[in-house]
Amino acid sequence: MTVTQAPPTTSTARAPAPRPRVSLEPYLYLLPHAVLFFLFTVYPIGYGLYISLHRWDLLSGTQPFVGGEFYRNIFTPGTPQADFFWKTLWNTTFFTIVSVPLLVAAALGLALLLHRPIVGRTFFRAVFFMPGILTVSVMGILWRWMFDNQIGLVNAARDALFSAPPIPWLSTEGLAWVPIVVGTIWWTLGFNMTLYLAALGNVPLSLYEAASLDGATPWQSFRFITVPMLAPVTLFVIVTTALASFQLFGQSLVITNGGPSRSTQSVIQYITEEGFTNAQYSSAAAMGFVFGLFMLIFTAAQFRMMARDVKEG
Amino acid sequence: MSRSPFPARKTLLALLALGTAAAPLASAQTYSGPRVQLTFLHGFTGPDRPVMESLIKKFNETYPNIQVRATAQPWGTTWQQLPSLVASGRAPDVVVINEDQITNFVARGAVSPLTAAELKTAGIDKARFFGPLFQTADYQGQSYGVPISSVAYVMFYNKDLMKKVGLDPNKPPRTRAEFLTAAQKCTVDKSGKNATQAGFDAKNLDTWGVSLYNNWVGARAAYAAILQNGGAMVDKNQNAAFNSPQAVSAVQFLVDLVQKQKVARPNSTEEAELAAFSQGKVCMFPSGQWYLDRFEQQKMNFGVTFMPRVGGTARDAAWGGSSHLTLPKQRAGYDANKRRAALVFMSWLSQPAQNLTWTATGSLPTQRAVANNTKFASAPINGVFDRLNSVYATSGYPWVGQVMAPFDQAWEAAYLGKKPVQKALNDGVSEANKQIAQARKNFQ
């Protein structure tokens, strides 16, 4: 690690002390992170790629190179991988499409309400933030019970209020998403809300004052001041929430175990099943890479779109 | 499962009662080699952990030449780590492996066989254990593990409710016909009519006959029924075969209980049925024996019996799970004394006295001598002890995951009425066999 630094070309009032020609110092600062980065990110990715291209099992004497066989499985109709990978990838995407707008809009709405100086503001902030500290298993069991086909609170309430017959939430395709989406919103809303609350605190009040002098309606202030001023936070919230939603795993595992008929199984749950239940490590690794690529493209596209909005806004 | 540790005085009495069984074996498990230290990896991390730790402490005191150092970690972690531990020659000396994983590890060469001579020297007599339980760890004619813990699918029944509808609460059903009659009598609508009477309203049930539901535990009722009818999960080539005529007929009977006889609730979940049984609304609740504790604490008037022959008349059968002591494959030059000492440890831990202590965790006895102990004479669980020899685990083929996941899905589709039974099972078998075909390549 030797680096030659060009001598400073700009002359300042006080001439800088002559620097040593080679400086290791910056690299020493980078070293701890670089070591961890290579050890826990670069190396595993490389090893994962190796696994996905071989018929890999630590216990077997040979680990023959099979090239793209496990990738081909994913794109060959009729194989279990093609059937279930794309099905569960769609499930995960569907969950993201449904939950992200709700999570962002509800968080913004709550933040706007709780930003005002209302009585019990801190209490309500805590109420909405609190569920986030629960583990996914606690949250999952709670919402599974709420929506149980026979003994759930939701069906009991429907019966008590409207004498409506029970709905088999957990065993009906489509409806089984309801407890997962509702539960996830309840569980993770507080984090986004907190981000929005912090951002709202940073919007200069003078802008609103100027707007009100110009006769702007509350809606106009919101549309032309609040929304643009919050745009960078919104970008951050949308991207992190979308990525988190794509990593859906625990909620559907605990609430529906992916059922009925794999209709709520997340792609990560399926990859885990292929790897650790079926002991098909190479196949699971290949699917992991395809899914990773999918997310990379998705995030890049989202970033481009949103970044443009932020700039233009 | 919160269980108090087994009281010491009772243990002593139990040991005296077991004296005849334990005495001749005590001489067989001696170790006179140099002092060795054994590493022992197991997954008993819950309330069963202190029981295992006290057993190991006792072993270490009894055998000063062998010191066992145990590590408890979640089962899943062990399944992920074991291959790399074995491959790198750093495997623990003794590892506990469960029934659904063991054949896979055996077939992949992670576990070493226990020869007849070794078992004999160590005083481990296969005949002492329940046959199918010991065979769970067998593969291609060789033994690979010794069972120390066992759970099983049983049938709980509500004695009060059975009495109320005119059934003998001390004679739970054993055959398909008796089962159906009992279920029909127990299924009573809100106006008091039962499932055999005219004008019976299946939509407004007050009580019902049997709990069926759609998760993997629920699917184990179908597993039992298939075995009872002479069916099997895999054929002799170890391909999935749970769509045989015997299997279809057995599963059809269970699905008919929901869809035709209306003596079980449709669209139900394990939680809902568990709550209903606890509230005295269901006569018969087939499920894991691990719920015993819960019903006992509730002071319900219930009984436990072996799963009746609902599937057919070929044999008694119920699903069971088990944990086996195994010796992983070690690097060349592994200390032979360690293996001898490990066998002594396995032998000691599987002795009747130790197994009796272990039943305090909720495990079923692994052998007849323990099941006959006076401790169980008046315990409800005693109701299944006459047929513990008919508890069958999912093992014997390396791809249990590839067979059981599609099977559970097939049961779900059939129970929910999404597919006819034959089609649900056919689809499950076809999916399982595609996955088995891929898995087979790993074993070449």
Side-chain angles (χ1 to χ4, degrees):
Chain A
M1 277 202 292
T2 54
V3 161
T4 336
Q5 270 195 330
T9 49
T10 50
S11 62
T12 45
R14 213 187 303 167
R19 294 254 196 106
R21 238 162 45 86
V22 175
S23 172
L24 278 176
E25 205 182 302
Y27 296 94
L28 283 175
Y29 285 117
L30 289 174
L31 191 65
H33 182 260
V35 168
L36 295 175
F37 179 71
F38 274 96
L39 208 59
F40 293 109
T41 306
V42 177
Y43 173 72
I45 289 175
Y47 197 20
L49 199 63
Y50 173 88
I51 289 173
S52 74
L53 297 173
H54 293 71
R55 186 173 298 289
W56 182 88
D57 186 339
L58 270 176
L59 288 167
S60 104
T62 58
Q63 292 168 4
F65 177 77
V66 294
E69 180 186 327
F70 292 110
Y71 291 91
R72 267 198 306 282
N73 281 345
I74 303 171
F75 296 94
T76 309
T79 63
Q81 288 76 17
D83 288 353
F84 300 136
F85 179 77
W86 296 110
K87 184 181 170 93
T88 55
L89 184 58
W90 162 246
N91 291 344
T92 310
T93 312
F94 173 81
F95 171 78
T96 306
I97 293 170
V98 172
S99 69
V100 171
L102 290 172
L103 275 168
V104 175
L108 177 60
L110 272 180
L112 289 169
L113 287 175
L114 293 178
H115 184 61
R116 293 153 183 250
I118 57 163
V119 179
R121 187 166 69 155
T122 323
F123 170 75
F124 285 112
R125 285 184 185 186
V127 163
F128 289 108
F129 190 76
M130 208 78 94
I133 63 173
L134 296 177
T135 62
V136 67
S137 42
V138 172
M139 167 268 175
I141 291 170
L142 187 67
W143 286 93
R144 192 174 73 208
W145 284 349
M146 296 274 275
F147 280 87
D148 189 279
N149 295 348
Q150 309 281 358
I151 54 167
L153 195 63
V154 175
N155 277 338
R158 282 167 44 83
D159 184 37
L161 296 175
F162 316 110
S163 300
I167 293 177
W169 300 98
L170 299 179
S171 52
T172 309
E173 284 184 38
L175 287 182
W177 279 112
V178 175
I180 298 172
V181 171
V182 173
T184 304
I185 291 172
W186 174 81
W187 186 42
T188 58
L189 189 63
F191 185 72
N192 288 351
M193 179 193 76
T194 310
L195 290 174
Y196 270 127
L197 277 171
L200 280 171
N202 287 333
V203 180
L205 286 175
S206 57
L207 292 177
Y208 293 108
E209 283 161 13
S212 78
L213 287 176
D214 289 343
T217 61
W219 167 252
Q220 285 170 328
S221 321
F222 173 73
R223 172 65 190 87
F224 296 105
I225 302 173
T226 314
V227 171
M229 291 303 283
L230 292 181
V233 171
T234 303
L235 170 66
F236 178 77
V237 165
I238 290 180
V239 172
T240 52
T241 308
L243 286 177
S245 298
F246 265 117
Q247 288 171 31
L248 169 71
F249 178 64
Q251 298 99 300
S252 56
L253 183 74
V254 181
I255 297 175
T256 58
N257 195 22
S261 311
R262 293 188 196 262
S263 64
T264 58
Q265 193 177 36
S266 66
V267 67
I268 298 189
Q269 194 189 339
Y270 176 59
I271 294 174
T272 310
E273 177 186 322
E274 179 78 343
F276 296 112
T277 308
N278 295 347
Q280 296 285 309
Y281 308 107
S282 303
S283 174
M287 290 195 270
F289 275 102
V290 175
F291 177 52
L293 195 69
F294 182 87
M295 274 179 73
L296 216 61
I297 294 168
F298 175 87
T299 314
Q302 201 177 26
F303 248 108
R304 277 184 80 92
M305 241 158 55
M306 301 288 300
R308 203 179 52 214
D309 286 355
V310 170
K311 252 185 249 156
E312 284 172 1
Chain B
M1 280 214 309
S2 59
R3 285 171 181 277
S4 53
F6 202 55
R9 194 180 297 165
K10 270 195 183 168
T11 314
L12 203 65
L13 284 171
L15 282 172
L16 287 173
L18 284 163
T20 46
L25 294 156
S27 60
Q29 17 162 344
T30 51
Y31 171 76
S32 50
R35 191 184 152 91
V36 289
Q37 197 175 68
L38 299 177
T39 47
F40 174 44
L41 186 60
H42 64 82
F44 303 111
T45 54
D48 40 16
R49 183 176 176 161
V51 183
M52 179 52 78
E53 279 169 357
S54 72
L55 281 170
I56 291 163
K57 187 163 172 274
K58 197 167 157 213
F59 175 83
N60 286 342
E61 286 163 5
T62 317
Y63 290 86
N65 271 6
I66 309 172
Q67 287 306 299
V68 174
R69 289 185 51 179
T71 307
Q73 68 177 18
W75 297 113
T77 312
T78 300
W79 312 151
Q80 290 175 27
Q81 288 180 352
L82 194 57
S84 45
L85 289 172
V86 170
S88 62
R90 290 180 294 119
D93 299 296
V94 184
V95 178
V96 183
I97 306 183
N98 289 344
E99 88 288 343
D100 56 339
Q101 301 287 333
I102 193 158
T103 317
N104 184 270
F105 281 121
V106 168
R108 287 160 72 197
V111 185
S112 72
L114 308 169
T115 65
E118 279 179 324
L119 290 174
K120 191 157 185 263
T121 311
I124 300 170
D125 180 10
K126 286 184 201 191
R128 203 173 73 218
F129 299 85
F130 293 113
L133 180 63
F134 197 92
Q135 282 156 19
T136 297
D138 287 1
Y139 187 59
Q140 297 182 343
Q142 276 193 299
S143 297
Y144 288 86
V146 179
I148 51 161
S149 188
S150 160
V151 295
Y153 208 77
V154 298
M155 194 175 84
F156 298 98
Y157 57 97
N158 184 329
K159 289 188 173 178
D160 290 342
L161 188 54
M162 284 175 80
K163 205 164 158 187
K164 193 177 149 199
V165 299
L167 293 161
D168 183 349
N170 296 313
K171 272 194 72 187
R174 291 190 76 140
T175 64
R176 181 189 274 202
E178 285 172 10
F179 179 84
L180 184 58
T181 307
Q184 283 171 329
K185 283 191 176 168
C186 288
T187 308
V188 180
D189 67 13
K190 295 228 161 90
S191 64
K193 290 202 170 71
N194 78 28
T196 59
Q197 291 169 321
F200 163 74
D201 177 11
K203 289 221 153 49
N204 277 305
L205 293 181
D206 185 36
T207 61
W208 57 98
V210 56
S211 284
L212 296 175
Y213 41 91
N214 74 349
N215 68 355
W216 75 269
V217 188
R220 294 304 176 268
Y223 176 83
I226 290 173
L227 300 192
Q228 288 167 349
N229 204 25
M233 297 306 287
V234 294
D235 60 20
K236 62 180 192 314
N237 298 320
Q238 303 185 329
N239 288 317
F242 53 80
N243 62 343
S244 62
Q246 293 95 323
V248 173
S249 137
V251 176
Q252 187 69 56
F253 175 77
L254 290 179
V255 170
D256 283 349
L257 292 175
V258 185
Q259 291 169 6
K260 222 162 88 190
Q261 312 287 357
K262 317 260 188 208
V263 295
R265 282 199 298 187
N267 280 322
S268 203
T269 59
E270 187 182 3
E271 272 107 1
E273 293 303 320
L274 187 56
F277 183 73
S278 299
Q279 291 159 6
K281 292 186 139 329
V282 192
C283 268
M284 297 179 281
F285 181 70
S287 191
Q289 123 281 357
W290 50 83
Y291 283 127
L292 184 67
D293 198 51
R294 177 184 168 123
F295 301 142
E296 276 178 342
Q297 282 180 2
Q298 246 186 307
K299 308 234 184 308
M300 275 183 75
N301 185 17
F302 73 102
V304 189
T305 186
F306 199 82
M307 192 66 191
R309 291 190 185 187
V310 292
T313 53
R315 58 172 168 174
D316 281 316
W319 170 84
S322 50
S323 303
H324 301 258
L325 294 168
T326 66
L327 300 179
K329 189 162 280 177
Q330 304 287 352
R331 64 188 183 283
Y334 177 72
D335 186 353
N337 285 319
K338 278 197 168 192
R339 190 172 170 99
R340 271 198 290 277
L343 278 153
V344 170
F345 173 60
M346 286 166 83
S347 171
W348 184 85
L349 202 55
S350 61
Q351 291 292 320
Q354 278 65 254
N355 184 238
L356 186 66
T357 308
W358 185 248
T359 56
T361 62
S363 162
L364 291 166
T366 58
Q367 42 208 308
R368 179 62 60 202
V370 178
N372 286 344
N373 189 269
T374 48
K375 176 201 165 195
F376 299 110
S378 58
I381 192 67
N382 194 17
V384 300
F385 281 8
D386 58 336
R387 280 166 281 176
L388 280 181
N389 218 1
S390 301
V391 174
Y392 297 91
T394 50
S395 82
Y397 44 101
W399 25 76
V400 172
Q402 280 90 333
V403 174
M404 291 316 286
F407 175 72
D408 293 347
Q409 298 267 326
W411 164 252
E412 182 186 83
Y415 165 76
L416 294 176
K418 296 203 160 131
K419 289 178 191 172
V421 171
Q422 177 82 61
K423 179 166 169 46
L425 295 178
N426 284 350
D427 288 356
V429 164
S430 133
E431 183 197 324
N433 283 339
K434 275 188 204 170
Q435 302 208 23
I436 290 170
Q438 294 178 345
R440 247 178 231 289
K441 296 183 190 167
N442 288 9
F443 294 93
Q444 282 166 358

